């Protein structure tokens, strides 16, 4: 292994990401408490509360993964722990997709059954107050932290090439959109539209499913040694394309294989002997800014598998 722990190029951003995720966990817990207290019988509030609870998974998994990822290789794990991040990404993706499907089913069944959800009043300081006002306040509060944290996470995730952190940023965006949908659903109940609450819940769950399926595709490809993907799509990442181009130019008539290990890229040159005193660190790759991403270059001489 060339790296012991995180390379110097990303240590500062890793430290920022860890601090930001601890803040994320704290704010999310406060949102879960507030939403749970004011939930009542609202389907939209219930769905939003579940999504907020799911929102704890990516930051917690990131914090665990970042702790193990920085560890050096051991006798039992010769290649280190870089793929812990990939494993955490898969866990978060499966949780998102599964729960999103369950919530969509629940909302659809409520709409089909035509259940009329009512929001009662509560006695507060000697006055009867519609519980919907507390629900609206809770939803409004649930919008603010995800909006701020998600915007801070995106540039860090891009610099770190961290799919788990990027997924968390997308989920934070989904959370504040969920809050907006929840407000519409509660307001609809207040206007007597019995279907508005469940319709808002179904809309929220569709967003959860979409994020989960996209993340699941990328996480699965990474764990089965697929080519390095871009953060926000299934396309080959720019860094991987530059590495492959440079290797093909330097070693023509060979087969270039690339795979992603966490945030790092490993390259293999099939059909060539390693040049004398070859050093992957000094190999020229025009246009590659994130040099730290290239973990290693291995050679397989002609005639060997």
């Amino acid at each position: 292994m060339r790296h012991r722990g995180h390379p110097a190029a990303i240590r500062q951003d890793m430290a920022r990401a860890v601090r930001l995720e601890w803040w994320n966990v704290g704010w999310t817990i406060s949102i879960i408490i507030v939403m749970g207290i004011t939930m009542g019988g609202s389907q939209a509030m219930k769905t939003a509360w579940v999504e907020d609870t799911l929102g704890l998974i990516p930051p917690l998994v990131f914090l665990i993964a970042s702790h193990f990822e920085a560890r050096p290789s051991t006798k039992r794990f010769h290649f280190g722990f870089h793929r812990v991040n990939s494993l955490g990404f898969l866990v978060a993706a499966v949780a998102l997709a599964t729960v999103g499907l369950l919530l969509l089913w629940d909302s659809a069944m409520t709409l089909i059954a035509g259940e009329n959800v009512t929001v009662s009043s509560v006695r507060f300081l000697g006055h009867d107050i519609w519980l919907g006002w507390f629900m609206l306040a809770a939803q409004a509060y649930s919008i603010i932290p995800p909006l701020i944290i998600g915007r801070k996470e995106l540039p860090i995730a891009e610099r770190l090439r961290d799919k788990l952190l990027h997924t968390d940023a997308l989920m934070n965006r989904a959370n504040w959109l969920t809050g907006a949908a929840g407000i519409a659903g509660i307001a609809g109940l207040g206007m007597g539209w019995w279907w508005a609450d469940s319709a808002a819940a179904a809309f929220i769950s569709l967003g959860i499913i979409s994020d989960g399926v996209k993340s699941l595709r990328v996480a699965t490809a990474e764990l089965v040694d697929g080519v390095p993907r871009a953060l926000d799509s299934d396309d080959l990442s720019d860094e991987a394309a530059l590495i492959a181009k440079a290797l093909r130019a330097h070693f023509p008539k060979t087969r270039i294989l690339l795979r992603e290990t966490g945030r790092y890229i490993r390259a293999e040159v099939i059909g060539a002997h390693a040049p004398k005193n070859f050093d992957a660190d000094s190999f020229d790759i025009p246009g590659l800014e994130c040099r730290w991403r290239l973990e290693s270059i291995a050679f397989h001489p002609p005639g060997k598998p």
Side-chain angles (χ1 to χ4, degrees), residues 44-62:
M45 288 289 290
K46 174 186 173 183
T47 307
W49 180 82
V50 172
E51 185 181 27
D52 290 328
T53 303
L54 282 175
L56 283 174
I57 295 177
L60 288 176
V61 171
F62 176 85

Side-chain angles (χ1 to χ4, degrees), residues 22 52 57 77 86 88 99 102 115 165 171 210 227 237 258:
W22 277 117
D52 290 328
I57 295 177
F77 296 90
S86 304
V99 177
L102 292 174
E115 296 180 12
L165 189 64
M171 192 163 185
S210 176
V227 296
S237 70
L258 300 176

Side-chain angles (χ1 to χ4, degrees), residues 82-160:
H82 292 166
R83 277 196 171 178
V84 173
N85 182 276
S86 304
L87 179 61
F89 184 38
L90 179 64
V91 170
V94 170
L96 278 174
T98 302
V99 177
L101 287 170
L102 292 174
L103 292 173
L104 179 61
W105 173 265
D106 193 22
S107 302
M109 289 301 100
T110 301
L111 281 171
I112 292 172
E115 296 180 12
N116 193 347
V117 179
T118 58
V119 179
S120 60
S121 299
V122 293
R123 195 74 175 171
F124 185 73
L125 299 178
H127 300 279
D128 289 327
I129 300 178
W130 182 51
L131 186 59
W133 293 118
F134 293 99
M135 293 180 178
L136 290 172
Q139 289 281 19
Y141 171 67
S142 72
I143 290 176
I144 300 172
L147 181 61
I148 297 173
I149 293 175
R151 289 175 65 88
K152 288 182 176 292
E153 284 177 331
L154 275 176
I156 299 176
E158 290 172 359
R159 291 195 297 269
L160 292 176

Side-chain angles (χ1 to χ4, degrees), residues 264-283:
Y264 303 104
I265 296 174
R266 292 181 180 176
E268 296 184 17
V269 181
I270 310 298
H273 291 276
K276 187 177 181 179
N277 299 323
F278 179 82
D279 183 12
D281 286 329
S282 59
F283 179 70

